[in-house]
Amino acid sequence: MEALAVGSAPPRPGLAAPTRYSHLRGPRTLAAAARRPLAAAPMEAAGGGRPSPAPARCTRAETEPEVDEAATSSPAAEADAAGATAEEGGNGSPVADAAAAAGAPAEVVAGVDGIRIRRRPVTGPSVHYVGPFQFRLENEGNTPRNILEKIVWDKDVEMKERRPLYMLKGPLEAAPPARDFVGALQASYDRTGLPALIAEVKKASPSRGVLREDFDPVQIAQAYEKNGAACLSVLTDEKYFKGSFNYLEAIRNAGVQCPLLCKEFIVDAWQLYYARSKGADAVLLIAAVLPDLDIKYMLKICKILGMAALVEVHDEREMDRVLGIDGVQLIGINNRNLGMLFLFLVVGESGLFTPDHISFVQNAGVKAVLVGESLIKQEDPGKAIAGLFGKDISPSGAA
């Protein structure tokens, strides 16, 4: 597998050489902004008379932005790779940005590429306040149709409170190098002849509540690694899965060598940068949430950051979409909702509890499996791996 590297142009005389994250700039000073004149838009007077004085109107380039939101605001990922600055503002989603620019309603993303998940409530939030009183007005436009849509709506709110992107420049430069997630899966498959295991560090789920009360993410990760896991998946969503980016960072800092997948609900490119700054080697992209253009855009950013991307599908329609996107290396199939499996470089996700399940997906051509609940609920999650595969798949056991 070829290394994912970021190229840089040779420095010009008198200019500092661009760094990997040189496009993440801080806010401009007000003094610099004051030196730029304001542009006035001429107005025609009614009836052909003398034009009235033109009111001053600040153009986009002349206003002082609160932050310089590099790569999360424009699909110009190629410019980012060269260390250039992308456009400012935006939602970190090319499709959402285009919709907002055109004044389209919030549900427009749900109509692109067959996406059924709406990015945010169509008619605004259901909770309203009048003085000290709170009341709720629920209708089809502001009521989530399923748990995934509810999670996505909450993520959209979280993104409004995100830190400016330039503040991640330091943590990104200090983060340990990204490890080869895809290579680790392939090496495990070659060593055992069985689907490589992505073991999940998961405390809870929306449907089943808390899965493990004595939850120590570092201890669990170390047990998984010792017993043959090729990679680890770490839940970072706090509200619904009781996860945390602190878990991801703690596992990486504890010396665990397995590459780490950040299991987050990605709706904005900012999350990719944040995941890398916390030590992620791969991220999850959900086809039911992200249109093709967003997936392509985020794949480019992942390549810039040296991360892999696991693109999750739930049905044949989503599989057909993802197969048509250049640059996809890993496809995850949610086995609970899919009636059949496909012959492709895929990762089987969810619903795997016994050696028969592992054998079934292996016969279907699956090269890796992501397993969480059936391991985390056991008294010793690490030793439960041998029970799942029907044999010891750790390096010592194989020897």
Side-chain angles (χ1 to χ4, degrees):
M1 174 182 173
E2 63 180 16
L4 301 179
V6 180
S8 59
R12 288 178 289 170
L15 294 179
T19 64
R20 186 174 192 174
Y21 304 109
S22 60
H23 60 289
L24 307 184
R25 301 181 305 170
R28 300 187 184 92
T29 63
L30 292 176
R35 290 195 295 267
R36 292 192 294 270
L38 298 180
M43 298 179 62
E44 297 295 335
R50 183 178 178 179
S52 59
R57 176 173 59 83
C58 294
T59 66
R60 176 187 177 95
E62 294 154 349
T63 55
E64 178 58 26
E66 185 177 55
V67 326
D68 189 358
E69 302 263 8
T72 64
S73 57
S74 164
E78 294 83 359
D80 293 347
T85 303
E87 296 178 8
E88 301 169 9
N91 300 299
S93 160
V95 173
D97 285 350
E107 71 271 23
V108 68
V109 174
V112 178
D113 299 324
I115 300 290
R116 292 186 287 267
I117 299 298
R118 298 170 295 179
R119 185 60 58 88
R120 61 186 65 89
V122 179
T123 56
S126 59
V127 177
H128 301 270
Y129 295 89
V130 176
F133 302 102
Q134 173 184 309
F135 63 96
R136 184 179 297 272
L137 294 176
E138 294 186 349
N139 53 50
E140 184 180 357
N142 62 27
T143 302
R145 293 181 288 204
N146 52 56
I147 184 61
L148 179 56
E149 188 166 84
K150 182 174 178 59
I151 294 172
V152 168
W153 286 8
D154 285 339
K155 288 297 170 187
D156 185 69
V157 173
E158 286 181 24
M159 288 301 98
K160 292 179 173 61
E161 302 171 357
R162 67 192 180 190
R163 288 190 293 165
L165 182 59
Y166 76 87
M167 292 182 66
L168 298 182
K169 184 174 184 290
L172 281 166
E173 292 176 338
R179 292 169 292 198
D180 188 353
F181 191 88
V182 177
L185 295 178
Q186 186 64 54
S188 176
Y189 180 80
D190 292 341
R191 176 176 63 82
T192 66
L194 295 169
L197 173 63
I198 307 171
E200 192 153 79
V201 180
K202 177 180 181 180
K203 183 175 182 178
S205 76
S207 59
R208 300 183 184 273
V210 174
L211 301 173
R212 190 177 187 87
E213 293 290 352
D214 58 331
F215 183 78
D216 184 329
V218 171
Q219 188 178 65
I220 293 169
Q222 291 171 336
Y224 282 155
E225 181 176 50
K226 179 181 178 181
N227 287 275
C231 300
L232 304 180
S233 167
V234 183
L235 265 297
T236 55
D237 175 78
E238 295 186 21
K239 183 172 183 179
Y240 296 95
F241 291 86
K242 299 189 182 301
S244 173
F245 278 97
N246 292 334
Y247 296 162
L248 183 71
E249 190 171 35
I251 292 171
R252 185 68 192 260
N253 292 339
V256 173
Q257 297 302 307
C258 289
L260 305 180
L261 169 71
C262 174
K263 190 83 172 286
E264 175 62 293
F265 295 86
I266 304 290
V267 297
D268 190 290
W270 181 91
Q271 295 166 284
L272 305 178
Y273 288 94
Y274 189 65
R276 177 80 277 272
S277 74
K278 292 295 185 177
D281 305 296
V283 293
L284 178 73
L285 303 178
I286 303 177
V289 173
L290 300 170
D292 294 357
L293 184 60
D294 283 9
I295 294 175
K296 293 175 183 177
Y297 172 54
M298 293 182 181
L299 286 174
K300 290 180 180 179
I301 293 178
C302 284
K303 185 173 183 179
I304 291 170
L305 298 176
M307 295 192 298
L310 173 61
V311 185
E312 180 180 283
V313 302
H314 297 79
D315 55 32
E316 295 180 52
R317 178 184 56 81
E318 291 177 3
M319 174 63 85
D320 289 339
R321 280 179 48 211
V322 173
L323 288 175
I325 298 176
D326 290 337
V328 174
Q329 292 180 294
L330 292 171
I331 297 179
I333 300 176
N334 191 312
N335 299 319
R336 288 196 176 100
N337 298 329
L338 198 62
M340 62 178 294
L341 296 173
F342 298 79
L343 295 175
F344 193 70
L345 180 57
V346 297
V347 177
E349 301 177 31
S350 305
L352 303 174
F353 294 91
T354 69
D356 287 341
H357 292 156
I358 299 297
S359 178
F360 174 76
V361 296
Q362 182 178 14
N363 291 336
V366 169
K367 299 295 181 64
V369 293
L370 190 155
V371 183
E373 184 177 327
S374 65
L375 299 177
I376 204 71
K377 294 178 70 173
Q378 304 303 315
E379 183 177 350
D380 188 329
K383 291 182 178 179
I385 293 175
L388 174 66
F389 282 83
K391 60 181 292 187
D392 186 350
I393 64 168
S394 67
S396 60

